[in-house]
Amino acid sequence: MSTYKALRKNPSAPQVSEVLIAALREIPVAALSDNMHRNIGTVGLRPYHRPGKHTMAGTAVTARSRGGDNLTYLRALEFCRPGDVLIIDACGNLDNAVVGGILSFYAASIGTVGVVIDGAIRDVAEIRERDFPVYARGVTHRGPYKDGPGEINVPVCVGGMVVNPGDIIAGDQDGLLAIPQDGVGELIEKARAVLSTEAETIRAMKEGRWNRAFIDALEARCAN
């Protein structure tokens, strides 16, 4: 850890294996969420990029900044490696944008696979034309301050979701999850099982053999 004027900086956590990341890119966030008690993930953040075929997945590099200030974001980009997702806790502030078209373009150019901001962005028309994942709480034309203070690679909270440096971040058009590295292999297998079950349900619907008896069971267990 190092401390100097304006920012506290910690080294980035080890990256998740490419094999696990490749597997997660093929799994929708909803299938992962169904195996994480359905109560984990962001609320209030939305995607602003062009929808893509694959799930965003990468290792979290975290930053916490004063609302409306992007000095920490500018420095945090130096801590990002190809395959990382930059997570910015900007206190949910919507008064000033901390990321726009230029900085999101730069993040993509250095191999970062996504940016998540609990705060505001701008240049939305530009961002929507790109595949590079950008999630934020809202939009404003007003630009950022660059005064600090902030912290890099510390636990943060974005959209009500706690993210620790090194967590796996998965995101698609439905939302975002932070997944601890421990046990992610088991989670992937459970999510694949969910997808297999859903595919069989679709086949049954198409063939007119979907068994709806489970609805009776659900009604029977209701208290009133």
Side-chain angles (χ1 to χ4, degrees):
M1 181 183 73
S2 65
T3 303
Y4 80 111
K5 185 178 180 181
L7 304 178
R8 179 163 72 96
K9 303 178 292 180
N10 297 308
S12 297
Q15 288 185 297
V16 183
S17 78
E18 293 183 5
V19 173
L20 292 173
I21 292 299
L24 288 166
R25 282 175 51 79
E26 302 298 328
I27 301 174
V29 167
L32 297 167
S33 177
D34 281 355
N35 288 282
M36 298 179 72
H37 308 293
R38 305 185 180 190
N39 64 353
I40 296 172
T42 55
V43 176
L45 304 187
R46 56 176 294 189
Y48 284 91
H49 53 283
R50 183 167 58 192
K53 179 179 178 182
H54 296 288
T55 296
M56 177 192 74
T59 305
V61 171
T62 65
R64 179 188 293 121
S65 65
R66 182 170 64 88
D69 191 290
N70 75 352
L71 176 61
T72 311
Y73 173 79
L74 290 167
R75 184 63 73 186
L77 286 165
E78 298 174 10
F79 289 73
C80 292
R81 305 146 298 191
D84 285 338
V85 178
L86 181 55
I87 308 293
I88 305 167
D89 179 355
C91 306
N93 184 281
L94 299 179
D95 292 337
N96 295 82
V98 295
V99 173
I102 291 174
L103 289 183
S104 60
F105 176 84
Y106 180 74
S109 75
I110 63 173
T112 305
V113 298
V115 176
V116 178
I117 308 107
D118 197 339
I121 61 171
R122 64 178 182 176
D123 305 323
V124 171
E126 183 179 342
I127 289 170
R128 282 183 174 143
E129 292 180 351
R130 302 177 187 155
D131 297 328
F132 180 71
V134 176
Y135 295 81
R137 183 170 291 278
V139 177
T140 180
H141 59 86
R142 299 196 299 189
Y145 298 98
K146 302 180 187 299
D147 303 313
E151 299 176 290
I152 298 170
N153 284 318
V154 296
V156 299
C157 183
V158 291
M161 178 179 74
V162 175
V163 181
N164 292 294
D167 281 351
I168 303 166
I169 304 301
D172 61 15
Q173 293 295 298
D174 288 341
L176 297 148
L177 286 173
I179 307 168
Q181 291 195 28
D182 290 343
V184 67
E186 181 181 1
L187 175 62
I188 289 170
E189 292 308 311
K190 288 181 176 179
R192 285 172 171 166
V194 167
L195 295 176
S196 178
T197 298
E198 290 178 348
E200 173 55 32
T201 299
I202 293 294
R203 283 193 294 271
M205 288 176 173
K206 289 179 178 179
E207 296 168 6
R209 56 179 177 82
W210 183 35
N211 186 348
R212 293 163 51 81
F214 72 94
I215 301 175
D216 295 332
L218 291 174
E219 286 185 346
R221 76 180 188 182
C222 291
N224 52 45

